[in-house]
Amino acid sequence: MSKSMIQVTAGRGPAECTRVVAKVVELMMKAARTQGLDIQLLESKKGDLKGTLLSAVLLIKEKSGAREKRLDAFVKEWRGTVQWIAESPYRKFHKRKNWFVGVEVFDVKEQLKWDLKDVKLESCRASGPGGQHVNKVETAVRGTHLPSGIQVLAMDSRSQLQNKQLCLERLETKFMSWQMEQLLARRQDQWQEHNELERGRAVKVITDKL
């Protein structure tokens, strides 16, 4: 099953660009689901204003059994610079109406190496509300990804088997976010100044009448 990680960033653009990041993420998630793709928001960094994002990382993949490869077409449509045309909702009478955000895509197979051999699982007693029953049986599961040191505790269910599955799923998601952070840190030079985004070569232009 094909998977990709998508980063949407405002670079070092103003507040209007962080608003556009949030809007683009919303549009991308809606479009992906409409096209029969699985998509989820892995992590996001909030901007200074309500409803804004400095950046966001999404995981997108084709559904199992899908007859057509829609992921490649989706990536091609969005990858690059997105130009958003709208008046500033924050600065009245501001003349600028063109705002730009960057969309980068990374192949999960190339960048993320998830191996269960790197995971250590331990059973432990759940803590918190639930009475004495909670602490009598070791049904909670703690998972540790040894190379990175990432830990996750799952105690949602009274079934240790279900908690184990939840723990592995959450640990893999957290690991992928961590790997993405490492990757983006190495590519930080590509996103130094907002003006470096290729404004003249926008892959998508969106007009927002607010």
Side-chain angles (χ1 to χ4, degrees), residues 21-200:
V21 170
K23 292 290 185 180
V24 167
V25 168
E26 184 180 337
L27 286 177
M28 290 179 70
M29 295 186 74
K30 183 178 180 180
R33 288 164 180 161
T34 299
Q35 296 174 34
L37 296 167
D38 283 331
I39 189 167
Q40 60 177 304
L41 180 64
L42 290 184
E43 69 172 22
S44 61
K45 296 181 180 179
K46 294 183 178 180
D48 294 332
L49 301 175
K50 183 179 180 180
T52 65
L53 294 174
L54 293 171
S55 65
V57 177
L58 305 125
L59 173 65
I60 185 169
K61 58 186 178 181
E62 294 177 345
K63 292 184 177 179
S64 57
R67 295 181 179 179
E68 301 178 17
K69 291 188 176 296
R70 303 183 179 95
L71 182 56
D72 290 344
F74 183 88
V75 166
K76 186 177 180 180
E77 178 185 354
W78 287 94
R79 187 175 196 168
T81 300
V82 176
Q83 178 181 356
W84 190 278
I85 303 174
E87 294 182 358
S88 171
Y90 310 124
R91 293 181 281 180
K92 195 173 182 180
F93 305 123
H94 189 62
K95 292 183 179 181
R96 180 177 169 184
K97 294 183 179 180
N98 292 294
W99 316 100
F100 300 86
V101 299
V103 178
E104 185 56 279
V105 181
F106 306 94
D107 191 328
V108 170
K109 291 182 180 179
E110 293 180 2
Q111 305 299 342
L112 307 176
K113 295 179 176 63
W114 170 253
D115 193 339
L116 288 176
K117 294 179 181 178
D118 294 330
V119 176
K120 178 182 179 182
L121 295 175
E122 300 173 285
S123 59
C124 54
R125 293 183 181 180
S127 60
Q132 295 182 352
H133 173 80
V134 174
N135 296 314
K136 285 183 178 179
V137 184
E138 294 186 346
T139 57
V141 177
R142 178 182 291 108
T144 304
H145 182 254
L146 299 176
S148 64
I150 297 172
Q151 286 192 344
V152 168
L153 178 66
M155 46 182 280
D156 304 55
S157 171
R158 291 186 177 182
S159 166
Q160 188 180 74
L161 185 62
Q162 290 181 1
N163 282 334
K164 178 181 177 181
Q165 184 62 35
L166 287 171
C167 183
L168 287 173
E169 290 175 358
R170 292 170 183 172
L171 189 60
E172 182 177 4
T173 297
K174 198 168 183 179
F175 165 75
M176 287 191 294
S177 295
W178 175 80
Q179 282 281 64
M180 178 57 68
E181 288 179 0
Q182 304 303 306
L183 177 64
L184 295 179
R186 292 195 296 269
R187 297 192 179 188
Q188 187 62 40
D189 290 343
Q190 298 179 13
W191 303 102
Q192 283 303 315
E193 295 293 337
H194 181 70
N195 289 338
E196 291 179 10
L197 296 177
E198 298 181 66
R199 297 185 177 188

